[in-house]
Amino acid sequence: RRGLIDSAANIRVVNFIAPAVCITYGALALNNSALHRLNLSTKNEIKEDHPFFRTHIDNYMQVAPGIAVFALQLAGVKGKNTPGREAIIYATSIAIAEGVTTPLKHWAHELRPDSSNYDSFPSGHTTTAFASAEFLRIEYGHISPWIAVAGYATATATAAFRLYNNKHWFSDVVAGAGFGVLSTDLAYWLNDKILWRKKTNASLSVFPVYNNGSFSLALVKVF
């Protein structure tokens, strides 16, 4: 249990300030004319400079920091938790992210910049990317701060590609970043306080899910 306790102990109230600010900004932008104008000007500047830009790399970059955690484990670099517990924590994080962003998309009913549908707010890709980056930071940031920087740089690039692909407004990716970090921090807390609080004979299964260009992990606990 030492790894989980050490990881969870580093998560304090201050960790939730930045995610809360990002989420609040994104929510305010739904009905604030000044922030909406900023969304429009950002979109117009991007389209003016890169009118034909299109890439699908953001579909894969969103989970790259998470995959890096398990790659480092395979390379013999020990994280704060065992590979099995890391898998459960990551699955919990993605489950929280999906459980929050999917209903919000239906509630907000925000039209995407390319007018393809009304699932713009918040950015699911960005949420997953920052959840993955925070996961990498907690597991390996103590070894080198550059590992955490690389994870967050990848997440930021994913958010930028969502803007350049004309799939999201600026406020969508800002909120997505907040939801992503919050999802992982909550996942560590939940796994420490609930899943591992008592010894049980429960079995846990983790498996990947790919749906409409979005990766996720499913967690099944059988008692």
Side-chain angles (χ1 to χ4, degrees):
R1 284 174 48 87
R2 182 184 61 81
L4 275 172
I5 292 174
D6 289 348
S7 298
N10 290 328
I11 299 173
R12 302 181 178 88
V13 174
V14 68
N15 293 75
F16 297 96
I17 295 177
V21 170
C22 290
I23 293 169
T24 300
Y25 176 89
L28 289 174
L30 292 172
N31 294 295
N32 183 282
S33 58
L35 297 180
H36 182 62
R37 287 194 297 271
L38 178 59
N39 281 340
L40 287 173
S41 64
T42 302
K43 170 194 171 178
N44 292 336
E45 287 182 13
I46 290 174
K47 296 306 293 181
E48 181 180 348
D49 295 337
H50 305 277
F52 305 110
F53 183 89
R54 189 74 176 116
T55 183
H56 296 289
I57 195 172
D58 45 343
N59 291 332
Y60 309 100
M61 288 179 65
Q62 61 180 323
V63 293
I67 292 174
V69 170
F70 303 105
L72 286 167
Q73 284 281 12
L74 287 174
V77 184
K78 302 299 182 182
K80 286 202 169 186
N81 290 282
T82 64
R85 288 184 176 180
E86 285 176 345
I88 293 169
I89 291 168
Y90 190 45
T92 304
S93 170
I94 299 303
I96 293 172
E98 290 288 332
V100 171
T101 57
T102 300
L104 276 177
K105 285 179 178 290
H106 295 293
W107 172 80
H109 199 62
E110 184 183 43
L111 185 65
R112 290 186 188 272
D114 65 357
S115 301
S116 58
N117 59 46
Y118 285 85
D119 293 336
S120 193
F121 178 87
S123 169
H125 282 67
T126 305
T127 299
T128 299
F130 276 84
S132 300
E134 178 70 351
F135 175 53
L136 177 62
R137 182 194 70 80
I138 292 175
E139 288 297 324
Y140 285 101
H142 65 288
I143 293 178
S144 171
W146 291 108
I147 294 178
V149 169
Y152 270 90
T154 301
T156 302
T158 301
F161 282 135
R162 298 308 286 166
L163 296 177
Y164 277 76
N165 278 333
N166 203 29
K167 287 295 183 181
H168 286 287
W169 305 103
F170 176 71
S171 57
D172 297 336
V173 300
V174 172
F179 282 121
V181 173
L182 184 62
S183 295
T184 294
D185 287 347
L186 286 176
Y188 275 92
W189 183 84
L190 286 172
N191 276 272
D192 185 43
K193 299 298 182 181
I194 298 176
L195 291 182
W196 303 108
R197 174 61 66 185
K198 297 179 180 179
K199 293 183 179 180
T200 69
N201 294 322
S203 63
L204 287 151
S205 300
V206 182
F207 54 91
V209 176
Y210 179 82
N211 182 33
N212 194 26
S214 178
F215 285 96
S216 62
L217 289 175
L219 171 65
V220 177
K221 185 175 183 179
V222 180
F223 296 90

